[in-house]
């Protein structure tokens, strides 16, 4: 389902814990990390699509989270041609997204990356909110910056300086050890079994 400009409606999810650290998922068999996201199906509202994607990619149910906020408008990014399925080329430009900020009210152990037969992630960790985005695929970085900047007001006091991409913050992995962005690009230890074949390039971007 594309709009008249060639963008596919989509939702993005920024999931935070009680320390305002963000959920970071490592794509299967890749060294790239990202937030959960997915397309909005015909007849779905953005909120309905968000809860479906939350379960499919992270294994969480509505009772495990609380909605803190969402972006006011669509945020868009274009997908390079080499990432687009052949049958979509010529009329598909990219994604337009509504981003949701969620608070995890359940436990870390409620996360289940294999809730479906086609998992998006094979590892995950918590990272500081203002994480550098070197490990995110390049064409998504601007949208990530926009979403993080817009939704930060729900978590932080206005006088707090925005440190986004100005330093390399230390982040805590699933084992509790600190790491830098360089550690993330090298990958994190999977928490749920061996990696599976990646999703189709045309769907996930």
């Amino acid at each position: 389902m594309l709009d008249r400009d060639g963008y596919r409606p989509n939702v993005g999810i920024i999931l935070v814990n009680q320390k305002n650290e963000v959920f970071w998922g490592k794509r299967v068999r890749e060294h790239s990390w990202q937030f959960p996201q997915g397309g909005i199906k015909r007849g779905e509202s953005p909120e309905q699509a968000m809860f479906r994607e939350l379960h499919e990619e992270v294994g969480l149910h509505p009772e495990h989270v609380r909605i803190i906020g969402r972006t006011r408008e669509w945020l868009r990014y274009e997908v390079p041609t080499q990432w687009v399925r052949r049958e979509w080329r010529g009329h598909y430009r990219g994604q337009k997204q509504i981003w949701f900020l969620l608070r995890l009210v359940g436990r870390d152990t409620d996360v289940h990356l294999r809730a479906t037969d086609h998992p998006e992630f094979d590892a995950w960790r918590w990272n500081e909110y203002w994480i550098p985005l070197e490990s995110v695929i390049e064409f998504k970085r601007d949208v990530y910056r926009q979403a993080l900047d817009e939704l930060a007001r729900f978590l932080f006091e206005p006088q707090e300086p925005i440190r986004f991409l100005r330093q390399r913050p230390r982040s805590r992995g699933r084992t509790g050890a600190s790491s830098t962005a360089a550690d993330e690009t090298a990958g994190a230890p999977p928490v749920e079994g061996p990696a599976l074949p990646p999703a189709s390039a045309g769907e996930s971007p």
Side-chain angles (χ1 to χ4, degrees):
M1 183 175 68
L2 303 179
D3 67 12
R4 66 179 64 183
D5 297 316
Y7 289 93
R8 180 175 179 237
N10 190 283
V11 292
I13 301 170
I14 299 175
L15 174 68
V16 299
N17 62 14
Q18 297 303 316
K19 297 180 179 180
N20 291 336
E21 296 169 322
V22 296
F23 174 97
W24 210 230
K26 188 177 82 67
R27 296 191 58 175
V28 291
R29 290 189 176 178
E30 297 182 23
H31 290 303
S32 62
W33 294 71
Q34 67 175 49
F35 294 127
Q37 69 173 63
I40 300 175
K41 295 182 178 179
R42 189 176 301 276
E44 278 187 325
S45 68
E47 184 172 319
Q48 290 170 331
M50 178 273 292
F51 279 123
R52 176 178 53 76
E53 291 293 338
L54 182 69
H55 178 256
E56 290 177 359
E57 297 194 0
V58 187
L60 296 177
H61 296 280
E63 61 267 25
H64 294 136
V65 299
R66 175 171 58 87
I67 298 176
I68 303 174
R70 54 164 280 179
T71 53
R72 298 182 182 92
E73 305 292 342
W74 295 103
L75 304 180
R76 292 171 171 81
Y77 66 82
E78 295 191 5
V79 177
T81 302
Q82 64 267 27
W83 284 84
V84 179
R85 291 178 178 175
R86 289 183 180 180
E87 62 269 25
W88 289 8
R89 292 177 184 175
H91 53 89
Y92 172 76
R93 293 182 62 184
Q95 307 274 18
K96 66 176 186 179
Q97 299 178 312
I98 294 293
W99 282 82
F100 288 86
L101 179 65
L102 307 180
R103 172 82 68 193
L104 178 67
V105 297
R107 301 169 297 177
D108 285 14
T109 53
D110 292 323
V111 173
H112 179 46
L113 300 184
R114 294 177 179 270
T116 70
D117 293 332
H118 302 285
E120 182 74 18
F121 307 123
D122 59 22
W124 70 277
R125 64 192 305 154
W126 294 114
N127 279 310
E128 290 187 11
Y129 190 88
W130 300 115
I131 181 174
L133 300 179
E134 289 94 337
S135 58
V136 177
I137 193 165
E138 187 174 3
F139 60 81
K140 294 183 180 181
R141 292 177 190 172
D142 283 345
V143 162
Y144 274 42
R145 292 186 186 101
Q146 293 174 55
L148 288 165
D149 283 344
E150 181 174 344
L151 296 173
R153 63 192 174 92
F154 294 105
L155 300 177
F156 306 108
E157 294 296 327
Q159 63 267 25
E160 283 195 42
I162 293 180
R163 297 173 290 125
F164 191 58
L165 290 179
R166 295 187 179 274
Q167 57 178 300
R168 302 174 69 85
R170 297 175 68 83
S171 59
R172 180 174 60 80
R174 293 287 292 118
T175 62
S178 294
S179 64
T180 63
D183 297 322
E184 292 152 21
T185 58
V191 297
E192 298 204 29
L196 297 181
S200 116
E203 176 67 18
S204 180

